[in-house]
Amino acid sequence: MFNKKSFLSISVLLLLALVVVACAPAATPEPTPMPAEVVEPEPEPEPEPQSIVDIAVADGRFTTLVAAVQAADLADTLANDGPFTVFAPTDEAFNMLPEGTIPALLDDIPALTDILLYHVVAGEVLAEDVVTLDEAETLLGEMVSIRVENGMVFINDAQVIITDIIADNGVIHVIDTVLLPPAEEVAEFGTIVDIAVEDGRFETLVAALQAADLAEALSGEGPFTVFAPTDEAFNQLPEGTIPALLDDIPALTDILLYHVVEGEVFAEDVITLEFAETLLGKDVEIRVDDGMVFINEAQVIITDIQADNGVIHVIDSVLLPPESVGTVVDIAVEDGRFETLVAALQAADLVEALSGPGRFTVFAPTDEAFNKLPEGTIPALLDDIPALTDILLYHVVSGRVLSQDVVTLEEAETLLGENISIRVENGRVFINESEVIIVDIIADNGVIHVIDTVLLPPEN
């Protein structure tokens, strides 16, 4: 039976337990964790754009290629947008070229440029596409051949040793040999002298060229146009002429040079001309009669024999140069009717110019024409050389214009740069208001037409 004593004991124990609990230290609370600091990762730097040229420069195996591209002024082109496919020869590839080739190319920029453009194809052609092609057109406009043999790829005869080096503006495939464009196929005819020797109809002409020491000159670069007399043409000369010429080399040389015109003048152009200046400095006249072409009095019987350094037209007579009659100035001095004109030319320092190798047409006022000027005009002009020079140049036209051509014109530009008017009235020819009273006084370097009045340039 529950008694008082037991209840009292239990009460005491409970009381002691409550005291112990009340006096115990309070529990330490768990700390609240601080939020961790978030560190943003720094963005990766964008890679610098790398053009084909940048990659070639940085690589180190293409120093010769880079130098060549810079020398040919192609670096900017190959660094632009493109895209391009470059078959890039290594330095070793360039070293396989014959000794002296690279310096020679650096001195011949057009040839170097052609070679470099022959290594570049427009567009980005990766290796997987290259092997599907038989050929590709380069920036030179010429094709490279492409073939696969035993798993190896060849561009012409150069092996591709590294593929697909990707640039921002295209792709590089490395090759082990420099690609050389195909040489232009040029038919070789031989020089003018070679053809004359081989033909068999020009034995006398060839012997004359050799005697005059002109064979080497006419075997040179040229080009030349030769009016070539046959052996039969030489045989038409008076008996003894050929031996005499072989003993008189200066005269022989003059005759030979009189058969040669500078430049390559084909038949279709010859017939458009009225004269042509020869290497002797004297003109040959050209005319077409009844479909036949004549050089002076020699008929052209064969045209357009092509040589490497020019063209030959065969003629049936030997051309003999006209005897020298003197220059325009020489004739004016000797004539006696142009003393004032000659004095004016000397005062204006134009004598040497009008004695030169050019072709001039001079409308020459006589002394009487100068005397028609107002009194005091001539002394005043001799004191005013610029004005005198202008007046004199106003009397000269470039080229040899014979009277038959003058009458077809309405005006002509003078050496002053001002035009003179030309008209025909009642069979008389007038230059401005001056009448032409004598025509076609032929000089070695032009022609003189005599006029009765001094021509005065228009005032500015």
Side-chain angles (χ1 to χ4, degrees), residues 123-431:
E124 188 176 61
V125 189
L126 300 179
E128 63 183 358
D129 300 312
V130 170
V131 297
T132 67
L133 304 174
D134 293 325
E135 61 182 7
E137 184 177 358
T138 67
L139 294 192
L140 181 60
E142 299 282 352
M143 308 299 284
V144 287
S145 66
I146 301 169
R147 69 185 192 278
V148 180
E149 290 182 1
N150 301 322
M152 297 180 292
V153 180
F154 291 87
I155 310 299
N156 292 353
D157 291 311
Q159 185 181 344
V160 178
I161 53 179
I162 302 174
T163 64
D164 292 348
I165 301 176
I166 303 299
D168 289 329
N169 65 335
V171 62
I172 298 171
H173 305 301
V174 183
I175 55 176
D176 67 353
T177 306
V178 176
L179 304 174
L180 298 177
E184 291 185 10
E185 293 185 8
V186 179
E188 293 189 5
F189 302 103
T191 68
I192 287 169
V193 175
D194 293 335
I195 290 173
V197 169
E198 293 171 10
D199 187 281
R201 291 173 293 180
F202 306 104
E203 291 182 4
T204 307
L205 175 61
V206 170
L209 290 171
Q210 293 170 337
D213 201 21
L214 290 175
E216 185 176 352
L218 291 180
S219 297
E221 186 175 343
F224 307 107
T225 298
V226 175
F227 298 103
T230 60
D231 292 335
E232 289 183 7
F234 276 99
N235 290 336
Q236 294 177 36
L237 293 172
E239 189 175 351
T241 301
I242 295 172
L245 287 172
L246 292 172
D247 286 336
D248 186 352
I249 298 303
L252 177 63
T253 302
D254 284 353
I255 289 174
L256 294 172
L257 293 177
Y258 191 59
H259 288 77
V260 185
V261 171
E262 186 176 3
E264 193 172 52
V265 189
F266 289 99
E268 64 181 0
D269 300 313
V270 170
I271 60 176
T272 67
L273 305 174
E274 294 181 355
F275 60 85
E277 184 178 357
T278 67
L279 293 191
L280 182 60
K282 296 180 181 294
D283 291 344
V284 288
E285 293 183 359
I286 301 168
R287 71 183 193 281
V288 180
D289 284 344
D290 297 326
M292 297 179 291
V293 180
F294 291 86
I295 309 299
N296 291 353
E297 301 305 319
Q299 185 181 344
V300 178
I301 53 178
I302 302 174
T303 63
D304 294 346
I305 300 176
Q306 182 70 64
D308 289 338
N309 64 337
V311 63
I312 299 171
H313 305 299
V314 183
I315 55 176
D316 67 353
S317 305
V318 176
L319 304 174
L320 297 176
E323 292 185 9
S324 176
V325 294
T327 67
V328 168
V329 176
D330 293 334
I331 291 173
V333 169
E334 293 172 9
D335 186 281
R337 290 173 292 179
F338 305 105
E339 292 182 4
T340 307
L341 175 62
V342 170
L345 290 171
Q346 292 168 337
D349 200 20
L350 290 175
V351 169
E352 186 175 352
L354 292 179
S355 298
R359 291 290 181 268
F360 306 107
T361 297
V362 177
F363 296 99
T366 61
D367 292 335
E368 290 183 6
F370 276 99
N371 289 337
K372 289 160 61 174
L373 292 171
E375 187 175 353
T377 301
I378 295 172
L381 287 172
L382 293 172
D383 286 335
D384 186 351
I385 298 303
L388 177 63
T389 301
D390 285 352
I391 290 174
L392 294 172
L393 293 177
Y394 191 57
H395 288 76
V396 185
V397 170
S398 180
R400 177 183 281 170
V401 189
L402 300 178
S403 59
Q404 64 186 26
D405 301 312
V406 170
V407 296
T408 66
L409 304 174
E410 294 182 355
E411 61 182 9
E413 184 178 359
T414 67
L415 295 191
L416 180 61
E418 299 282 354
N419 287 342
I420 48 175
S421 67
I422 302 170
R423 70 184 191 281
V424 180
E425 291 183 0
N426 300 321
R428 297 185 298 172
V429 180
F430 291 86
I431 309 300

Side-chain angles (χ1 to χ4, degrees), residues 2 19 25 36-37 40 53 127 133 182-183 208 235 261 279-280 321 351 365 374 377 392-393 435-437 451 455-456:
F2 187 76
V19 171
E37 183 179 352
E40 292 289 335
V53 175
L133 304 174
N235 290 336
V261 171
L279 293 191
L280 182 60
V351 169
T377 301
L392 294 172
L393 293 177
E435 185 178 351
V436 179
I437 54 177
I451 55 177
L455 303 174
L456 298 177

Side-chain angles (χ1 to χ4, degrees), residues 100-123:
T101 301
I102 296 171
L105 287 173
L106 292 172
D107 286 335
D108 186 352
I109 297 302
L112 177 63
T113 302
D114 284 353
I115 289 174
L116 294 173
L117 293 177
Y118 191 58
H119 288 75
V120 186
V121 171

